[in-house]
Amino acid sequence: MTPERPPTPGTPTHEARDAAKESRDRARQFWNAAGTRLGKGTDMPEIMVFAAAGRTVEQKRGLARDLTDAMVKNFQVPAESVTVQIVESPKDSKAKGGVLFSDR
């Protein structure tokens, strides 16, 4: 019988490889379960809208609702998985055609 050689430095042991595989399997199970709860894989679409400041909360609500409805219809995802983020810039920090919005 040949004596077992010590592992080469930097080479994972069988135990380390098994532990890493188990960790990957647990992560895969978690994400598969998360996707099942959402109903359609792991699709979690996010829409970012960049706009000059000045819209009312009612306008932002309407936009968020309309964008969410469009994602539900076209991407076949549940409404609760859609994130809409409205990023507003002060009018003196946004320009179009070289002219600040505050100067229009």
Side-chain angles (χ1 to χ4, degrees):
M1 176 183 242
T2 308
E4 190 172 318
R5 289 184 295 175
T8 306
T11 303
T13 63
H14 290 293
E15 293 84 12
R17 281 187 293 227
D18 292 344
K21 181 181 182 316
E22 185 178 321
S23 178
R24 284 191 306 272
D25 290 345
R26 277 197 312 270
R28 191 173 294 117
Q29 288 171 350
F30 171 81
W31 288 111
N32 286 341
T36 300
R37 285 193 297 273
L38 289 175
K40 289 281 186 179
T42 56
D43 291 339
M44 297 178 68
E46 182 168 355
I47 302 166
M48 294 186 72
V49 177
F50 294 90
R55 305 303 194 291
T56 67
V57 173
E58 292 79 24
Q59 289 173 314
K60 294 177 202 176
R61 275 192 194 108
L63 178 63
R65 185 175 42 251
D66 291 347
L67 291 172
T68 298
D69 291 345
M71 293 299 285
V72 169
K73 176 184 174 191
N74 294 290
F75 280 27
Q76 292 81 43
V77 294
E80 58 272 4
S81 72
V82 178
T83 299
V84 176
Q85 181 173 353
I86 301 170
V87 181
E88 292 185 301
S89 298
K91 290 185 178 184
D92 63 357
S93 297
K94 190 172 184 92
K96 183 175 181 180
V99 179
L100 290 172
F101 279 72
S102 60
D103 294 338
R104 293 177 179 261

